[in-house]
């Protein structure tokens, strides 16, 4: 597990620098605390991509604890803030849901270019390495080369792929893939979909149709409907999650491109705004750059010295 943690810590380098610098710009070492100083935290937390709602709640918590005399100096306030974030993220059920019998089906959606296909390849490798029989479905039938891209990943990772021609009905691909997954005794089927904006009604309806077709074939599927979000887009990603969740039933988030961004603070805001658990994070472009999201490790890595 140490390797995982180091990778997460490495990926969060910029986020950590931004968050701790922001906090230290208000709560400098040895600083005498008062309520006005603490109030100044709100703006810097918002600037560190935590988002306004979470920032206000957190600063409210710090103020209250300060009034109760639970700490007197800046270091005490920061230690409290860390605990506060841990408490906030704690209740998240970050486990992936599996079928009690027959293949498990996960549907993956998101805006164009957020990292859906790459994240699916990572999930396929992650579970194949745990000796699961994994199959992918090429549900992006729109973008030229989308099927080829998934096929290349499937070959690289060594898992099965179900595909139709470009331009085919994605719901038909999903239906056939579920059939094939049952026939071939797969443990896990992951369905890729085309990038879509939550503002495009017909594309959102299409996503619901794909989901319904899967359910028709396997009543308790899909077991997860995962929205992939690009961490580098900061508050936009939070907004996307909110809007997707209003039009389809999501069960969790895959936060991609957490490596190299300073915007990892959005994870904290996500809890306050939509309360959909982050289940995995993407930390690079290869199939191994994936980590299951662990709230405690995340907070440790955010505040690591
Ligand atoms: N650094 C980094 N890059 C990533 C990560 N995940 C995906 N990418 C890159 O993001 C780009 C888009 O990835 P795709 O997987 O094609 O994204 P998509 O959402 O399937 O795109 P569309 O199908 O066109 O909507 C590629 O260049 C990936 O290598 C990640 O965790 N870290
Ligand atoms: Mg794709």
């Amino acid at each position: 597990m140490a390797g995982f943690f180091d990778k997460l810590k490495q990926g969060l380098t910029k986020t950590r620098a931004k968050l701790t610098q922001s906090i230290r710009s208000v709560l400098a070492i040895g600083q005498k605390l008062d309520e006005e100083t603490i109030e100044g935290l709100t703006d810097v937390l918002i600037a560190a991509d935590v988002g306004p709602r979470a920032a206000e709640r957190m600063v409210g918590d710090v103020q209250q604890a300060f009034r109760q005399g639970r700490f007197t100096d800046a270091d005490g306030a920061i230690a409290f803030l860390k605990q506060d974030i841990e408490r906030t993220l704690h209740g998240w059920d970050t486990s992936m849901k599996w079928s009690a019998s027959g293949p498990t089906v996960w549907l993956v959606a998101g805006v164009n270019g957020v990292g859906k296909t790459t994240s699916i390849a990572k999930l396929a490798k992650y579970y194949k390495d745990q000796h699961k029989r994994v199959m992918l479905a090429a549900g992006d039938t729109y973008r030229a080369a989308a099927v080829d891209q998934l096929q290349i990943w499937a070959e690289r990772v060594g898992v099965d792929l179900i595909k139709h021609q470009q331009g085919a009905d994605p719901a038909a691909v999903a239906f056939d893939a579920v059939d094939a997954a049952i026939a071939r005794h797969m443990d896990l089927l992951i369905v890729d979909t085309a990038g879509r904006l939550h503002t495009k009604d017909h594309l959102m309806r299409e996503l619901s149709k794909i989901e319904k077709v899967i359910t028709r074939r396997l009543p308790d599927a899909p077991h997860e409907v995962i929205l992939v979000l690009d961490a580098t887009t900061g508050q936009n990603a939070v907004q996307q999650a909110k809007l997707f969740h209003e039009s389809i039933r999501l069960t969790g988030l895959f936060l991609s491109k957490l490596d190299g961004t300073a915007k990892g603070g959005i994870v904290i805001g996500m809890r306050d705004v939509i309360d959909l658990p982050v289940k995995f994070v993407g930390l690079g472009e290869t199939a191994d750059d994936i980590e299951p999201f662990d709230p405690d490790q995340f907070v440790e890595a955010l505040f690591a010295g």
Side-chain angles (χ1 to χ4, degrees), residues 112-118 122 143 149 195 257 259 282 284-285:
N112 307 72
V114 290
K116 292 176 293 301
T117 305
T118 311
K122 292 174 180 178
R143 188 168 59 80
Q149 185 194 358
K257 313 188 196 184
D259 54 303
E285 295 188 274

Side-chain angles (χ1 to χ4, degrees), residues 107 109-111 142 194-212 227 240-250:
L107 181 62
V111 170
Y142 287 89
R196 69 196 70 222
L197 283 172
H198 39 76
T199 49
K200 299 269 192 246
D201 278 352
H202 64 291
L203 289 175
M204 294 308 285
R205 276 199 300 276
E206 182 190 80
L207 204 53
S208 300
K209 185 180 159 201
I210 298 171
E211 191 192 357
K212 284 202 189 83
L227 183 72
Q240 278 167 25
K242 192 165 173 283
L243 295 171
F244 262 85
H245 201 33
E246 282 167 9
S247 67
I248 57 161
R249 175 192 68 104
L250 297 172

Side-chain angles (χ1 to χ4, degrees), residues 110-150:
V111 170
N112 307 72
V114 290
K116 292 176 293 301
T117 305
T118 311
S119 301
I120 287 168
K122 292 174 180 178
L123 287 168
K125 169 112 184 0
Y126 184 82
Y127 286 102
K128 186 180 183 240
D129 286 350
Q130 295 181 18
H131 310 292
K132 302 283 188 195
R133 292 169 57 83
V134 183
M135 175 184 272
L136 305 180
D140 181 356
T141 57
Y142 287 89
R143 188 168 59 80
V147 177
D148 292 346
Q149 185 194 358
L150 192 64

Side-chain angles (χ1 to χ4, degrees), residues 63-82:
Q63 292 283 25
Q64 196 186 14
F66 176 64
R67 280 186 218 118
Q68 292 167 346
R70 292 171 64 181
F71 50 81
T72 51
D73 62 359
D75 284 0
I78 292 172
F80 176 85
L81 199 57
K82 182 183 167 199

Side-chain angles (χ1 to χ4, degrees), residues 1-16 255 258-261 267 278 280-283 290-302 304:
M1 290 307 277
F4 273 142
F5 182 72
D6 289 344
K7 206 163 167 183
L8 182 66
K9 200 175 146 190
Q10 170 69 30
L12 285 172
T13 302
K14 286 189 186 160
T15 297
R16 179 170 54 249
L255 192 60
L258 201 54
D259 54 303
T261 177
V267 172
V278 174
F280 276 94
V281 297
L283 292 163
I290 177 173
E291 198 187 338
F293 184 73
D294 176 322
D296 291 344
Q297 284 197 350
F298 178 80
V299 179
E300 281 308 319
L302 263 190

